[in-house]
Amino acid sequence: MAAMLPKLFFVHFRETSFVVEEEGSVVAFLCGFKSQTFDDEAYIHFVGVDPSFRGVGLARSLYERFFEAVAPRSVVRAVTSPRNERSVAFHRALGFEVERIEEDYDGRGESRVLLKRLL
Amino acid sequence: MAAMLPKLFFVHFRETSFVVEEEGSVVAFLCGFKSQTFDDEAYIHFVGVDPSFRGVGLARSLYERFFEAVAPRSVVRAVTSPRNERSVAFHRALGFEVERIEEDYDGRGESRVLLKRLL
């Protein structure tokens, strides 16, 4: 799982990027940052949880840690694939709302669900 | 070329991400941000120039625009592949120095040349 970690975030967005380790191995991580365009917003870019550690609340606890880290910012955004129903449901359970679905969001022919949570 | 643009940067790092257009088409771009870990540093993440527009100084002008945008920060970092000798030479010509080469820099079995320029 450590091989999936985007190094960039753990160098330049260290205060808003976290890992959970279990016996020395990374079993979950979250990478995010404070928007530099919008002073009141933060963005969660990439989250991973080892399949054998799912269902125990690791992702939720990482999101909550991120919410605390970006305070007093009051808007957190994330995007996910409309095909990833599990991800959409997870975000809803955490208080995110679906703002809209945007075609070709990242310019690569991939639609994205745009998610927003008020803190 | 527009399909290569990482949307994220043009939403949340808009002040430090630029495109060059020619007759309505993107022919070059640069995406970067101000480090949120290091107050005095900025980072150039991704740069692209349409092959038919190479050699006319577009990349150089994008880098110079970035240097101005991140002032008064005094350190700009970037990484590239050691196999990409053209990229290493380009950065040296722009005043970057090679700090070191790091094995498995991004955790994916890929070495990277770590580049640094003082502004």
mmCIF file of all heavy atoms in Angstrom, chain A residues 59-84:
data_model
loop_
_atom_site.group_PDB
_atom_site.id
_atom_site.type_symbol
_atom_site.label_atom_id
_atom_site.label_comp_id
_atom_site.label_asym_id
_atom_site.label_seq_id
_atom_site.Cartn_x
_atom_site.Cartn_y
_atom_site.Cartn_z
ATOM 1 N N ALA A 59 -11.305 5.124 7.053
ATOM 2 C CA ALA A 59 -11.503 6.239 6.125
ATOM 3 C C ALA A 59 -12.242 7.380 6.834
ATOM 4 O O ALA A 59 -11.855 8.541 6.726
ATOM 5 C CB ALA A 59 -12.278 5.780 4.881
ATOM 6 N N ARG A 60 -13.278 7.014 7.570
ATOM 7 C CA ARG A 60 -14.018 8.042 8.308
ATOM 8 C C ARG A 60 -13.079 8.833 9.245
ATOM 9 O O ARG A 60 -13.111 10.055 9.282
ATOM 10 C CB ARG A 60 -15.148 7.405 9.123
ATOM 11 C CG ARG A 60 -15.850 8.379 10.056
ATOM 12 C CD ARG A 60 -16.946 7.691 10.859
ATOM 13 N NE ARG A 60 -18.120 7.425 10.052
ATOM 14 C CZ ARG A 60 -19.153 8.271 9.914
ATOM 15 N NH1 ARG A 60 -19.130 9.452 10.532
ATOM 16 N NH2 ARG A 60 -20.179 7.948 9.165
ATOM 17 N N SER A 61 -12.237 8.119 9.969
ATOM 18 C CA SER A 61 -11.361 8.816 10.919
ATOM 19 C C SER A 61 -10.347 9.698 10.182
ATOM 20 O O SER A 61 -9.996 10.780 10.662
ATOM 21 C CB SER A 61 -10.671 7.838 11.864
ATOM 22 O OG SER A 61 -9.699 7.090 11.173
ATOM 23 N N LEU A 62 -9.905 9.276 8.996
ATOM 24 C CA LEU A 62 -8.989 10.105 8.200
ATOM 25 C C LEU A 62 -9.704 11.372 7.712
ATOM 26 O O LEU A 62 -9.138 12.472 7.752
ATOM 27 C CB LEU A 62 -8.447 9.313 7.012
ATOM 28 C CG LEU A 62 -7.376 8.261 7.342
ATOM 29 C CD1 LEU A 62 -7.161 7.318 6.168
ATOM 30 C CD2 LEU A 62 -6.063 8.946 7.728
ATOM 31 N N TYR A 63 -10.929 11.221 7.261
ATOM 32 C CA TYR A 63 -11.698 12.397 6.827
ATOM 33 C C TYR A 63 -11.884 13.365 8.000
ATOM 34 O O TYR A 63 -11.728 14.580 7.855
ATOM 35 C CB TYR A 63 -13.062 11.984 6.254
ATOM 36 C CG TYR A 63 -13.041 11.678 4.783
ATOM 37 C CD1 TYR A 63 -12.353 10.569 4.293
ATOM 38 C CD2 TYR A 63 -13.690 12.486 3.860
ATOM 39 C CE1 TYR A 63 -12.322 10.272 2.938
ATOM 40 C CE2 TYR A 63 -13.669 12.200 2.489
ATOM 41 C CZ TYR A 63 -12.983 11.090 2.043
ATOM 42 O OH TYR A 63 -12.945 10.817 0.695
ATOM 43 N N GLU A 64 -12.207 12.827 9.168
ATOM 44 C CA GLU A 64 -12.438 13.708 10.320
ATOM 45 C C GLU A 64 -11.150 14.428 10.726
ATOM 46 O O GLU A 64 -11.169 15.601 11.100
ATOM 47 C CB GLU A 64 -13.048 12.908 11.474
ATOM 48 C CG GLU A 64 -14.504 12.549 11.158
ATOM 49 C CD GLU A 64 -15.132 11.547 12.115
ATOM 50 O OE1 GLU A 64 -14.389 10.976 12.950
ATOM 51 O OE2 GLU A 64 -16.354 11.331 12.004
ATOM 52 N N ARG A 65 -10.045 13.717 10.595
ATOM 53 C CA ARG A 65 -8.754 14.345 10.897
ATOM 54 C C ARG A 65 -8.476 15.485 9.906
ATOM 55 O O ARG A 65 -7.975 16.544 10.285
ATOM 56 C CB ARG A 65 -7.663 13.277 10.814
ATOM 57 C CG ARG A 65 -6.369 13.688 11.439
ATOM 58 C CD ARG A 65 -5.457 12.485 11.599
ATOM 59 N NE ARG A 65 -4.072 12.899 11.699
ATOM 60 C CZ ARG A 65 -3.038 12.095 11.534
ATOM 61 N NH1 ARG A 65 -3.226 10.810 11.272
ATOM 62 N NH2 ARG A 65 -1.805 12.555 11.638
ATOM 63 N N PHE A 66 -8.834 15.239 8.648
ATOM 64 C CA PHE A 66 -8.654 16.274 7.632
ATOM 65 C C PHE A 66 -9.537 17.492 7.941
ATOM 66 O O PHE A 66 -9.082 18.640 7.862
ATOM 67 C CB PHE A 66 -8.994 15.708 6.245
ATOM 68 C CG PHE A 66 -8.816 16.692 5.120
ATOM 69 C CD1 PHE A 66 -7.559 16.940 4.585
ATOM 70 C CD2 PHE A 66 -9.896 17.396 4.603
ATOM 71 C CE1 PHE A 66 -7.381 17.856 3.551
ATOM 72 C CE2 PHE A 66 -9.738 18.313 3.570
ATOM 73 C CZ PHE A 66 -8.473 18.537 3.046
ATOM 74 N N PHE A 67 -10.788 17.249 8.295
ATOM 75 C CA PHE A 67 -11.694 18.359 8.612
ATOM 76 C C PHE A 67 -11.094 19.237 9.717
ATOM 77 O O PHE A 67 -11.163 20.462 9.661
ATOM 78 C CB PHE A 67 -13.071 17.842 9.063
ATOM 79 C CG PHE A 67 -13.825 17.039 8.031
ATOM 80 C CD1 PHE A 67 -14.817 16.139 8.410
ATOM 81 C CD2 PHE A 67 -13.540 17.163 6.670
ATOM 82 C CE1 PHE A 67 -15.517 15.396 7.462
ATOM 83 C CE2 PHE A 67 -14.237 16.419 5.704
ATOM 84 C CZ PHE A 67 -15.222 15.532 6.120
ATOM 85 N N GLU A 68 -10.518 18.602 10.727
ATOM 86 C CA GLU A 68 -9.884 19.356 11.822
ATOM 87 C C GLU A 68 -8.667 20.125 11.326
ATOM 88 O O GLU A 68 -8.439 21.269 11.719
ATOM 89 C CB GLU A 68 -9.461 18.409 12.947
ATOM 90 C CG GLU A 68 -10.626 17.911 13.782
ATOM 91 C CD GLU A 68 -10.202 16.813 14.765
ATOM 92 O OE1 GLU A 68 -9.003 16.737 15.108
ATOM 93 O OE2 GLU A 68 -11.088 16.016 15.155
ATOM 94 N N ALA A 69 -7.893 19.491 10.443
ATOM 95 C CA ALA A 69 -6.638 20.106 9.986
ATOM 96 C C ALA A 69 -6.874 21.361 9.155
ATOM 97 O O ALA A 69 -6.025 22.248 9.116
ATOM 98 C CB ALA A 69 -5.812 19.098 9.176
ATOM 99 N N VAL A 70 -8.002 21.426 8.455
ATOM 100 C CA VAL A 70 -8.225 22.565 7.559
ATOM 101 C C VAL A 70 -9.043 23.686 8.216
ATOM 102 O O VAL A 70 -9.292 24.711 7.582
ATOM 103 C CB VAL A 70 -8.869 22.151 6.217
ATOM 104 C CG1 VAL A 70 -7.964 21.148 5.497
ATOM 105 C CG2 VAL A 70 -10.273 21.602 6.405
ATOM 106 N N ALA A 71 -9.491 23.457 9.436
ATOM 107 C CA ALA A 71 -10.225 24.507 10.158
ATOM 108 C C ALA A 71 -9.376 25.767 10.184
ATOM 109 O O ALA A 71 -8.149 25.676 10.268
ATOM 110 C CB ALA A 71 -10.531 24.044 11.574
ATOM 111 N N PRO A 72 -9.971 26.972 10.085
ATOM 112 C CA PRO A 72 -11.407 27.252 10.089
ATOM 113 C C PRO A 72 -12.055 27.272 8.704
ATOM 114 O O PRO A 72 -13.135 27.859 8.568
ATOM 115 C CB PRO A 72 -11.448 28.646 10.716
ATOM 116 C CG PRO A 72 -10.204 29.296 10.176
ATOM 117 C CD PRO A 72 -9.173 28.200 10.060
ATOM 118 N N ARG A 73 -11.442 26.659 7.723
ATOM 119 C CA ARG A 73 -12.103 26.603 6.404
ATOM 120 C C ARG A 73 -13.437 25.854 6.548
ATOM 121 O O ARG A 73 -13.538 24.908 7.332
ATOM 122 C CB ARG A 73 -11.198 25.906 5.384
ATOM 123 C CG ARG A 73 -9.903 26.699 5.201
ATOM 124 C CD ARG A 73 -9.137 26.310 3.978
ATOM 125 N NE ARG A 73 -8.008 27.214 3.824
ATOM 126 C CZ ARG A 73 -7.469 27.579 2.671
ATOM 127 N NH1 ARG A 73 -7.949 27.097 1.542
ATOM 128 N NH2 ARG A 73 -6.452 28.415 2.632
ATOM 129 N N SER A 74 -14.421 26.260 5.767
ATOM 130 C CA SER A 74 -15.763 25.723 6.013
ATOM 131 C C SER A 74 -16.331 24.894 4.865
ATOM 132 O O SER A 74 -17.444 24.395 4.966
ATOM 133 C CB SER A 74 -16.727 26.864 6.338
ATOM 134 O OG SER A 74 -16.952 27.653 5.192
ATOM 135 N N VAL A 75 -15.576 24.727 3.785
ATOM 136 C CA VAL A 75 -16.054 23.922 2.660
ATOM 137 C C VAL A 75 -14.987 22.884 2.292
ATOM 138 O O VAL A 75 -13.822 23.240 2.101
ATOM 139 C CB VAL A 75 -16.328 24.802 1.411
ATOM 140 C CG1 VAL A 75 -16.803 23.937 0.240
ATOM 141 C CG2 VAL A 75 -17.351 25.887 1.732
ATOM 142 N N VAL A 76 -15.393 21.620 2.244
ATOM 143 C CA VAL A 76 -14.488 20.572 1.777
ATOM 144 C C VAL A 76 -15.089 19.965 0.508
ATOM 145 O O VAL A 76 -16.270 19.625 0.479
ATOM 146 C CB VAL A 76 -14.291 19.466 2.833
ATOM 147 C CG1 VAL A 76 -13.429 18.331 2.280
ATOM 148 C CG2 VAL A 76 -13.634 20.049 4.085
ATOM 149 N N ARG A 77 -14.267 19.867 -0.518
ATOM 150 C CA ARG A 77 -14.719 19.274 -1.779
ATOM 151 C C ARG A 77 -13.931 18.011 -2.095
ATOM 152 O O ARG A 77 -12.783 17.840 -1.641
ATOM 153 C CB ARG A 77 -14.547 20.274 -2.930
ATOM 154 C CG ARG A 77 -15.467 21.465 -2.836
ATOM 155 C CD ARG A 77 -15.316 22.386 -4.049
ATOM 156 N NE ARG A 77 -16.045 23.622 -3.829
ATOM 157 C CZ ARG A 77 -17.352 23.788 -4.047
ATOM 158 N NH1 ARG A 77 -18.072 22.783 -4.502
ATOM 159 N NH2 ARG A 77 -17.934 24.946 -3.802
ATOM 160 N N ALA A 78 -14.562 17.148 -2.863
ATOM 161 C CA ALA A 78 -13.907 15.943 -3.363
ATOM 162 C C ALA A 78 -14.640 15.560 -4.641
ATOM 163 O O ALA A 78 -15.748 16.043 -4.888
ATOM 164 C CB ALA A 78 -13.997 14.816 -2.339
ATOM 165 N N VAL A 79 -13.998 14.751 -5.460
ATOM 166 C CA VAL A 79 -14.714 14.227 -6.627
ATOM 167 C C VAL A 79 -14.535 12.717 -6.646
ATOM 168 O O VAL A 79 -13.572 12.180 -6.101
ATOM 169 C CB VAL A 79 -14.215 14.839 -7.969
ATOM 170 C CG1 VAL A 79 -14.257 16.353 -7.934
ATOM 171 C CG2 VAL A 79 -12.846 14.328 -8.340
ATOM 172 N N THR A 80 -15.495 12.027 -7.238
ATOM 173 C CA THR A 80 -15.359 10.578 -7.387
ATOM 174 C C THR A 80 -16.040 10.178 -8.691
ATOM 175 O O THR A 80 -16.655 11.009 -9.368
ATOM 176 C CB THR A 80 -15.940 9.833 -6.166
ATOM 177 O OG1 THR A 80 -15.521 8.477 -6.187
ATOM 178 C CG2 THR A 80 -17.466 9.888 -6.140
ATOM 179 N N SER A 81 -15.880 8.927 -9.048
ATOM 180 C CA SER A 81 -16.492 8.449 -10.292
ATOM 181 C C SER A 81 -17.953 8.102 -10.055
ATOM 182 O O SER A 81 -18.294 7.485 -9.042
ATOM 183 C CB SER A 81 -15.740 7.211 -10.788
ATOM 184 O OG SER A 81 -16.480 6.576 -11.804
ATOM 185 N N PRO A 82 -18.845 8.451 -10.990
ATOM 186 C CA PRO A 82 -20.248 8.063 -10.829
ATOM 187 C C PRO A 82 -20.431 6.542 -10.790
ATOM 188 O O PRO A 82 -21.407 6.046 -10.238
ATOM 189 C CB PRO A 82 -20.940 8.687 -12.049
ATOM 190 C CG PRO A 82 -19.889 9.215 -12.933
ATOM 191 C CD PRO A 82 -18.598 9.242 -12.203
ATOM 192 N N ARG A 83 -19.481 5.808 -11.362
ATOM 193 C CA ARG A 83 -19.564 4.338 -11.323
ATOM 194 C C ARG A 83 -19.244 3.794 -9.933
ATOM 195 O O ARG A 83 -19.581 2.662 -9.614
ATOM 196 C CB ARG A 83 -18.561 3.733 -12.324
ATOM 197 C CG ARG A 83 -18.951 3.910 -13.778
ATOM 198 C CD ARG A 83 -18.016 3.111 -14.682
ATOM 199 N NE ARG A 83 -16.618 3.527 -14.535
ATOM 200 C CZ ARG A 83 -16.083 4.545 -15.210
ATOM 201 N NH1 ARG A 83 -16.808 5.227 -16.068
ATOM 202 N NH2 ARG A 83 -14.813 4.864 -15.032
ATOM 203 N N ASN A 84 -18.556 4.608 -9.131
ATOM 204 C CA ASN A 84 -18.144 4.138 -7.809
ATOM 205 C C ASN A 84 -19.231 4.446 -6.775
ATOM 206 O O ASN A 84 -19.114 5.362 -5.968
ATOM 207 C CB ASN A 84 -16.812 4.790 -7.439
ATOM 208 C CG ASN A 84 -16.158 4.104 -6.239
ATOM 209 O OD1 ASN A 84 -16.818 3.367 -5.492
ATOM 210 N ND2 ASN A 84 -14.879 4.355 -6.050
#
